Amino acid sequence: MAFHYPNGRKFIPRKSDQSVRPQIKAGFSNRGKTLEDDLNETNSFYLAQGIAVVHKKPTPIQIVDVHYPKRSAAVIKEAYFKQASTTDYNGVYKGHHLDFEAKETQNTTSFPLKNFHEHQIVHMMNVTKQGGIAFVIIRFAVTDEIYLMNYPEIHFFWKRMQDGGRKSITKEEVEAESKRIPLGFQPRIDYIKVIDSILSK
Amino acid sequence: MAFHYPNGRKFIPRKSDQSVRPQIKAGFSNRGKTLEDDLNETNSFYLAQGIAVVHKKPTPIQIVDVHYPKRSAAVIKEAYFKQASTTDYNGVYKGHHLDFEAKETQNTTSFPLKNFHEHQIVHMMNVTKQGGIAFVIIRFAVTDEIYLMNYPEIHFFWKRMQDGGRKSITKEEVEAESKRIPLGFQPRIDYIKVIDSILSK
């Protein structure tokens, strides 16, 4: 429901109002926010509540030129994006090492495996071998469905591709081989619930 | 022992020669290399040998301006260094989450606590509460002695400072309250050995 000022202009709540009256009635559909934003909020919530300590890693940058102006902060004048050698997120939950990558697709019928780099798959395998929990959070953006697929399943589909099979995971396979993450207001993407179900197996 | 060409010029081995004939005879003193270089080499060794999966996090950067030239890579034209909110290194070892900071000092009689930021201490406390192993690797650069101090001990000395006590940990206290890390050729800084002794307690 939209509110209007007497002059007919639509009422747009200020930031401060939004924090007091969160728009829960709008549902949890949450369109427009990126998966990264939602995961950062989720991780802040987990941290504040003492539930888990998970952080996104900074984007790796190759710095070429830095200026040091007098009386002000160093300025990077030339730098390039580097390819990450690991996953984007990691941390610790009840003594367990968590390591994951988050990806979204506009595709509605499958999740393309080109979203991953070979070295990310290798990293997740190494983490799994070392006793950590490596996984992927997949968001189908159009329907805002979010799934958590554990590494052993990703490994299976990656291997299938390497052996000449399809270059994606069908939506049906995602549904069957991963767990859907419940979306909420706080935390937005409660992936720890799914980790609990993996741990209790 | 230095070799000289017939013309009297000193023989300086090329990179490729160095990798074939590592200068073990020079001892492990390893001066000139930074602690970060040595830890990166150590972590590469651990990874290659399947011993542990530990990576240094990229330096956090606030990107302000990026150019996208045609037919070449994006160039960051203006960016600033941000303060890290966590420790520099983390990973997984035999199912245990490891999280640590590495610091060196030119000081010979004590380790100044100003090497840490408050939020790094808080991060290490959060990791410890969550069942991870948080610690600090301290290098006394002049004598090339390297120690591993577990978070509970750091907490004690940090608290002492906050309560008005000294702003450093004396060398004697470091010796008494942490474990010296054996230095070697490969891995250079075998901190996992110390982790093993912490875990076996």
Side-chain angles (χ1 to χ4, degrees):
Chain A
M1 183 182 173
F3 292 89
H4 290 82
Y5 287 106
N7 65 6
R9 196 156 62 82
K10 198 172 162 191
F11 169 71
I12 296 156
R14 278 167 299 152
K15 277 268 176 212
S16 58
D17 294 331
Q18 287 179 321
S19 65
V20 178
R21 259 185 291 160
Q23 297 183 291
I24 297 183
K25 284 184 187 159
F28 302 131
S29 75
N30 186 33
R31 282 156 218 262
K33 279 238 173 188
T34 66
L35 180 57
E36 183 180 325
D37 289 337
D38 282 343
L39 284 170
N40 288 344
E41 281 184 40
T42 299
N43 290 334
S44 296
F45 176 82
Y46 286 157
L47 186 63
Q49 301 290 313
I51 296 168
V53 181
V54 178
H55 290 273
K56 183 176 188 296
K57 291 190 185 178
T59 308
I61 302 285
Q62 179 70 49
I63 297 170
V64 176
D65 187 23
V66 184
H67 287 208
Y68 298 92
K70 279 182 191 162
R71 284 181 292 277
S72 60
V75 191
I76 297 161
K77 285 292 195 185
E78 186 185 354
Y80 298 89
F81 294 99
K82 279 200 297 186
Q83 207 174 57
S85 53
T86 63
T87 50
D88 271 357
Y89 300 84
N90 74 8
V92 56
Y93 169 60
K94 290 187 180 169
H96 299 278
H97 175 84
L98 305 183
D99 219 295
F100 63 99
E101 192 61 32
K103 296 288 183 192
E104 44 194 333
T105 180
Q106 293 296 325
N107 220 310
T108 54
T109 55
S110 69
F111 177 76
L113 285 165
K114 70 171 192 291
N115 277 293
F116 300 114
H117 299 292
E118 173 85 34
H119 57 265
Q120 290 178 318
I121 300 288
V122 171
H123 175 71
M124 287 191 275
M125 186 170 68
N126 289 336
V127 166
T128 304
K129 279 184 185 167
Q130 203 52 246
I133 304 172
F135 56 94
V136 167
I137 290 179
I138 296 170
R139 178 171 180 246
F140 288 96
V142 175
T143 50
D144 201 20
E145 290 168 73
I146 304 185
Y147 294 88
L148 188 156
M149 187 177 279
N150 202 359
Y151 179 70
E153 281 67 57
I154 301 157
H155 184 89
F156 171 84
F157 294 116
W158 187 261
K159 206 78 185 82
R160 180 175 70 180
M161 179 182 71
Q162 286 187 321
D163 294 345
R166 54 179 300 145
K167 291 180 174 60
S168 65
I169 310 174
T170 69
K171 180 82 186 293
E172 288 71 32
E173 287 170 335
V174 171
E175 286 165 359
E177 302 301 335
S178 55
K179 299 243 182 192
R180 187 146 173 197
I181 303 176
L183 303 189
F185 174 62
Q186 249 190 345
R188 286 194 183 281
I189 302 177
D190 199 1
Y191 64 86
I192 287 292
K193 277 225 179 80
V194 177
I195 297 299
D196 276 333
S197 77
I198 290 172
L199 289 172
S200 66
K201 263 183 203 161
Chain B
M1 182 180 173
F3 294 90
H4 291 81
Y5 287 107
N7 66 6
R9 195 158 63 82
K10 196 171 162 191
F11 169 71
I12 296 157
R14 279 167 296 150
K15 276 272 176 206
S16 58
D17 293 332
Q18 287 179 321
S19 66
V20 178
R21 259 184 292 160
Q23 299 182 288
I24 296 183
K25 282 183 190 159
F28 302 132
S29 76
N30 186 33
R31 281 157 218 262
K33 279 238 173 187
T34 65
L35 181 57
E36 181 179 325
D37 288 337
D38 282 344
L39 283 171
N40 288 343
E41 281 184 39
T42 300
N43 290 334
S44 295
F45 176 81
Y46 287 157
L47 186 64
Q49 301 290 314
I51 296 168
V53 181
V54 178
H55 290 272
K56 183 175 188 296
K57 290 189 186 179
T59 307
I61 303 285
Q62 179 69 50
I63 296 169
V64 175
D65 188 23
V66 184
H67 288 205
Y68 299 91
K70 278 181 193 164
R71 283 181 292 279
S72 59
V75 191
I76 298 162
K77 284 293 192 186
E78 186 185 353
Y80 299 90
F81 294 99
K82 279 199 297 186
Q83 208 174 56
S85 53
T86 63
T87 49
D88 271 357
Y89 300 85
N90 74 9
V92 56
Y93 169 61
K94 289 187 182 169
H96 299 279
H97 175 83
L98 305 183
D99 218 295
F100 64 98
E101 192 62 31
K103 297 287 183 193
E104 45 193 333
T105 180
Q106 293 295 325
N107 219 310
T108 54
T109 55
S110 69
F111 177 76
L113 285 164
K114 68 171 193 290
N115 277 294
F116 301 115
H117 299 292
E118 172 86 34
H119 57 263
Q120 290 178 319
I121 301 288
V122 170
H123 174 72
M124 286 191 276
M125 185 171 68
N126 289 335
V127 165
T128 304
K129 280 184 184 166
Q130 203 53 243
I133 303 172
F135 56 93
V136 167
I137 290 178
I138 295 170
R139 177 171 180 247
F140 288 95
V142 175
T143 50
D144 201 21
E145 291 168 73
I146 304 185
Y147 295 88
L148 187 157
M149 188 177 277
N150 203 359
Y151 179 71
E153 281 68 55
I154 301 158
H155 184 89
F156 172 84
F157 294 116
W158 187 261
K159 206 78 184 84
R160 181 175 71 181
M161 179 182 71
Q162 286 188 321
D163 294 345
R166 54 179 303 144
K167 291 182 173 60
S168 65
I169 311 174
T170 68
K171 180 83 187 292
E172 289 71 34
E173 287 170 336
V174 171
E175 285 165 3
E177 302 301 335
S178 56
K179 301 245 180 189
R180 187 147 172 195
I181 303 176
L183 303 188
F185 175 62
Q186 249 189 348
R188 287 196 182 279
I189 302 177
D190 199 1
Y191 64 87
I192 286 291
K193 275 224 180 81
V194 177
I195 298 299
D196 275 334
S197 76
I198 290 173
L199 289 172
S200 65
K201 265 184 199 159

